[in-house]
């Protein structure tokens, strides 16, 4: 009698498990669907930020936070840790127009100055030059910098529209998206 009840309960559980309306989606499925499974978080960020505006995946949201990369396609969400000692700052210098942004979206953010040559200098508050490079804005109008964490300093950008600079922090509550750097 007890064996038959156990068998009936087990059979019921098997039937219920088989009637699940949606298959479970794993983190890896999301990464595979977008050809990102062979990459670490910093590589995914670099890859997505450098895509042409026309090649951005319309069904993928990718947000850079201070310590993680969040990926979502509407049915699954993946969180990937970022290096503990590095901070990704994406900035879009502008001349005429900009938008508000706090956490950089790798698939939706659009800056004004696409594919433009600029001079980028980041100097920390101790006066040490951390970055001093000629760079080209990505097709989305942004430039991405991997900076040391917990740093205070000044970002200075020069381009065809002029020169601008802003104070920057790479602390725990700092924005990863900077869109207020006016060149003039």
């Amino acid at each position: 009698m007890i064996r038959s009840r156990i068998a009936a309960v087990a059979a019921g559980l098997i039937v219920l498990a088989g009637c699940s309306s949606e298959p479970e989606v794993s983190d890896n499925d999301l990464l595979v669907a977008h050809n990102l499974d062979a990459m670490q978080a910093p590589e995914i960020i670099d890859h997505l930020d450098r895509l042409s505006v026309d090649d951005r995946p319309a069904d993928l949201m990718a947000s850079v936070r201070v310590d993680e990369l969040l990926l979502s396609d509407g049915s699954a969400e993946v969180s990937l840790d970022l290096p503990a000692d590095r901070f990704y700052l994406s900035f879009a210098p502008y001349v005429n127009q900009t938008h508000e942004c706090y956490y950089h979206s790798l698939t939706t953010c659009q800056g004004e100055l696409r594919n433009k040559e600029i001079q980028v200098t980041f100097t920390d508050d101790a006066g040490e030059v951390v970055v001093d490079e000629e760079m080209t804005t990505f097709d989305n109008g942004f430039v991405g910098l991997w900076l040391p964490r917990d740093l205070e300093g000044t970002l200075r950008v020069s381009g065809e529209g002029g020169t601008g600079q802003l104070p920057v922090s790479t602390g725990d509550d700092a924005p990863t998206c900077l869109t207020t750097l006016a060149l003039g």
Side-chain angles (χ1 to χ4, degrees):
M1 180 83 160
I2 291 178
R3 284 188 187 183
S4 62
R5 285 186 184 172
I6 292 173
V9 169
L13 290 175
I14 291 170
V15 168
L16 287 175
C19 291
S20 176
S21 61
E22 290 187 30
E24 193 163 318
V25 178
S26 74
D27 294 352
N28 197 48
D29 292 340
L30 173 68
L31 298 175
V32 168
H34 294 281
N35 297 317
L36 304 173
D37 55 310
M39 298 181 215
Q40 299 294 318
E43 296 167 304
I44 293 171
I45 290 170
D46 187 56
H47 169 73
L48 292 175
D49 229 2
R50 291 177 182 273
L51 285 176
S52 74
V53 172
D54 295 332
D55 291 336
R56 289 176 172 181
D59 62 338
L60 180 68
M61 292 299 298
S63 178
V64 180
R65 305 303 172 99
V66 172
D67 58 354
E68 66 182 338
L69 171 61
L70 295 177
L71 301 164
S72 174
D73 67 359
S75 63
E77 184 172 295
V78 176
S79 172
L80 301 173
D81 291 337
L82 295 180
D85 62 340
R86 307 301 287 168
F87 182 94
Y88 190 73
L89 175 67
S90 191
F91 65 92
Y94 75 97
V95 175
N96 297 309
Q97 63 184 7
T98 189
H99 65 279
E100 288 189 32
C101 186
Y102 197 84
Y103 292 123
H104 183 52
S105 172
L106 297 162
T107 54
T108 62
C109 277
Q110 177 70 50
E112 175 187 28
L113 303 176
R114 297 171 59 187
N115 305 304
K116 301 292 184 185
E117 297 288 325
I118 57 173
Q119 177 64 41
V120 178
T121 306
F122 184 86
T123 306
D124 70 17
D125 283 351
E128 182 180 334
V129 176
V130 178
V131 175
D132 187 8
E133 291 182 44
E134 280 190 33
M135 303 177 100
T136 302
T137 59
F138 303 139
D139 193 51
N140 65 6
F142 281 80
V143 171
L145 294 178
W146 285 99
L147 298 168
R149 287 286 301 266
D150 300 319
L151 191 64
E152 304 284 329
T154 302
L155 177 65
R156 180 179 173 87
V157 177
S158 297
E160 65 184 48
T163 299
Q165 67 180 33
L166 287 174
V168 170
S169 170
T170 63
D172 288 341
D173 60 349
T176 62
C177 187
L178 181 64
T179 57
T180 57
L181 185 63
L183 302 184

